[in-house]
Structure formats: structure tokens, C-alpha cells
Amino acid sequence: MAPTIELSGLEVQLGGRKILHGLSGALKSRAIGLLGPNGAGKSTLILTLLGFHRPASGTARVLGLDIRSDATRLRSLVGYMPENDAFIARMPGIHFVRYMAEISGLPPDLALERAHQAFVYVGLGEARYRTLGTYSLGMKQLAKLAQAIAHGPRLLILDEPTNGLDPPGRKRLIGLIREIQQAPDTHLLLSSHLLHDVEETCDEVLILRDGRIAAVCNLEEERKADRRFLEMEAAGAESAFPAALEALGCECSVSGDNRFRVVMPKGVEIRDVYRVAGDHGVRIERLNHRRDSLEDIFLNAMQQAGAPNGRL
């Protein structure tokens, strides 16, 4: 089976400036998250995959189709929910979704039928004949989702889908996305600055920084690994203490002021760390225990790429 997205030396220039720098790699999961700081190249990558930006060199394949030579066929297989609204305010919602379904290749009668089905599915059945300009923010997000799924795409690209939503609205939309993602033969690419959204819906993550790949992470494998982190301060610790922790299978790094960061593998418990500390006459003065998270993966990728810690 072909990867969902395959990048082959992909470079993109806009206004004479290189935005994407030779991206290469294969993303094989059915649900892929796209992360990175502002200006990392996330939107440029999405628009390139959709055929709106032509690569300066290299290419990409989406669902096995080359974005250069198979662009027309590819558009009929992809549904796109943009970050920014692109509505005609006085157009009824049902007419807008039908129109977008026709653009995606459906005949008029089938497009109208699918538009009704999409509105009912996202929970806007009673509002489908209202004009889009009267919709609330949450309703507009749902209408964007409806137009993205109406033609039955194999790949759904969502750009900041929960942006601006209140907690109930976000929960509702994430629930719909998870339902769609679990459908057979449906793939997902979700770009968001909310790490929790990606963690809830995706199995693989591509992290960009400055138009380059900072990291690719399989979240499913990370979850199976069940890694846990300890951050602690210990008095009287000599080199034998971290060596003893590593003998248990832990990964251990030491910073100044007797501070330790320990990654515990499956099967090793906190009591084992205290036992080793007791054996070596080490007094643990402070300890913080938590499981690995997408935030850890993201911050580590940013640090390795030389980025300052900050908001996405």
C-alpha cells in the first residue's frame, strides 16, 4: 500500500524566497498531524499538496498520485477545510455545499443529495437553508467541514479546524473528526496549533521548522512504548547513580544542581528508582512523574532544531 503522503526533495519558492527546503520522507499512517511554529511552512505544504503552489524542485505523492502530473484527479479525492472562511455570505448553506461538491466532480443531482447528507451529519440539518452570513462561528466551522466531506473524499485536509471554538464546540468537532477518521479508506491530515487536537485524532506527526522537517513521530508506537518521565533533584548523587539507573534500562540525563531527567521503560517503577537511590546513599529531594506527551516530542524537536521555546 502506498504511503498517505510521500515527499521527494520537495522545494517551494514564493516571491523569490525559498519556503520549503527539500522535504523528503514517507508518512504512512491514516491520520497525520502537521505541527510547527508560525512561519514553519505548514500552510505552504498544504497548498502545495493541493496544487495551488508549484514545486521549484522535487515533488510529492498523495494517495499514490503525483501532485505534478495527477493534480486534477487528486483534487477529486481530497476534501479541504481551510483555516480562513471563504463563504458567500448571502448564499444558503445547502447551496454552498452543493456548489463545492460539484466543483469536486459530482453531478448536480448527486451533489445536492450529498450536501443534504453532509449537513445532517455535522448537525446543521435545520440550518441548511439559512444564509451563511447568519451562522455563528461554530456553525461556520461545521459548514466548512460539511463542504469538505460532501463528495466523499479519500483524504480530508483540515487546517486549524477548532480555531476559535468554545470547549463544547471543540469537543463536538473533534468527535466528528474522529468518526470520519475511523471510516474505512479515509485518510486525515490535520494541521493545528493545539497539540491536544492532534494527540486525540492522529497516529503520526510531521513537525516542521523554518521550512524543514524537524521530526517525524509515530504516535501509535509512542503510546505502545508507554514511556514515563521523572524529573528529580537528588543530593549526594555521584556518577554511579545515573549508571545504575541506566542499568535498569532507563535513559538518564544530568544537568547542574543535581537535577536528573529519567525516561523509564515499561516494567520499571518509581520504587525501583528509590531502591537504587537508597543503595547508593542518594537522597531524592524533589520528584515529578508524568507520561510522555506530544508536547515533549514537539519541544524536543524544536530544541534540536535550535528553536526557542514558545507558542506555536
Side-chain angles (χ1 to χ4, degrees):
M1 182 180 295
T4 303
I5 297 172
E6 188 174 7
L7 307 173
S8 302
L10 182 66
E11 293 192 357
V12 176
Q13 295 185 15
L14 298 176
R17 185 168 66 93
K18 188 179 292 187
I19 307 299
L20 299 180
H21 301 257
L23 306 186
S24 293
L27 302 164
K28 300 179 180 180
S29 298
R30 289 180 53 237
I32 300 164
L34 181 59
L35 296 174
N38 292 329
K42 302 187 300 297
S43 295
T44 299
L45 177 58
I46 287 174
L47 294 176
T48 302
L49 296 178
L50 290 168
F52 294 112
H53 299 321
R54 187 167 181 82
S57 64
T59 190
R61 300 181 72 86
V62 178
L63 302 175
L65 299 175
D66 191 283
I67 62 172
R68 288 180 179 269
S69 58
D70 301 311
T72 301
R73 183 182 172 198
L74 185 57
R75 288 192 188 110
S76 67
L77 300 178
V78 175
Y80 174 46
M81 180 180 174
E83 177 182 5
N84 299 316
D85 293 346
F87 296 129
I88 301 172
R90 295 184 180 181
M91 178 180 283
I94 194 69
H95 294 169
F96 171 73
V97 174
R98 182 203 65 188
Y99 174 64
M100 298 302 291
E102 287 187 48
I103 289 178
S104 297
L106 295 186
D109 290 345
L110 182 56
L112 181 58
E113 179 183 342
R114 293 284 187 82
H116 282 290
Q117 292 172 351
F119 261 99
V120 172
Y121 179 76
V122 302
L124 290 181
E126 296 182 359
R128 55 189 147 172
Y129 291 106
R130 284 174 49 184
T131 57
L132 292 162
T134 66
Y135 282 16
S136 66
L137 174 59
M139 293 170 70
K140 287 178 179 178
Q141 292 297 93
L142 291 172
K144 285 195 290 185
L145 178 61
Q147 65 80 26
I149 65 174
H151 62 291
R154 286 186 55 203
L155 173 64
L156 183 61
I157 299 179
L158 308 175
D159 194 356
E160 300 289 353
T162 62
N163 193 25
L165 296 184
D166 58 18
R170 177 198 166 274
K171 182 178 180 180
R172 180 181 181 187
L173 191 52
I174 288 295
L176 287 171
I177 293 171
R178 294 184 68 178
E179 281 186 17
I180 295 168
Q181 184 266 330
Q182 291 168 7
D185 298 324
T186 301
H187 298 71
L188 174 72
L189 175 62
L190 187 148
S191 176
S192 178
H193 70 282
L194 299 175
L195 299 179
H196 196 51
D197 285 2
V198 174
E199 205 159 20
E200 282 191 60
T201 56
C202 297
D203 299 319
E204 190 172 13
V205 175
L206 171 64
I207 303 175
L208 298 180
R209 181 181 185 266
D210 293 336
R212 296 176 172 85
I213 294 177
V216 177
C217 174
N218 189 309
L219 293 180
E220 193 172 6
E221 292 179 359
E222 290 289 330
R223 293 176 188 124
K224 290 179 181 177
D226 192 29
R227 299 197 312 166
R228 292 155 299 156
F229 284 80
L230 290 181
E231 294 173 340
M232 59 183 176
E233 295 179 8
E238 303 294 336
S239 59
F241 176 55
L245 292 176
E246 290 174 356
L248 287 177
C250 299
E251 298 175 27
C252 186
S253 62
V254 184
S255 60
D257 301 325
N258 293 318
R259 294 181 180 178
F260 295 81
R261 189 171 188 268
V262 179
V263 183
M264 297 192 305
K266 191 172 183 178
V268 176
E269 303 296 336
I270 295 178
R271 62 175 176 269
D272 297 317
V273 175
Y274 275 101
R275 176 178 55 78
V276 171
D279 291 344
H280 290 79
V282 173
R283 185 175 71 254
I284 296 177
E285 299 179 334
R286 186 183 67 84
L287 185 145
N288 179 36
H289 175 227
R290 57 188 174 81
R291 295 191 180 276
D292 197 5
S293 70
L294 182 54
E295 181 179 2
D296 297 308
I297 295 167
F298 177 81
L299 292 176
N300 184 56
M302 292 297 100
Q303 290 168 0
Q304 290 183 358
N309 293 345
R311 65 185 301 274
L312 296 180

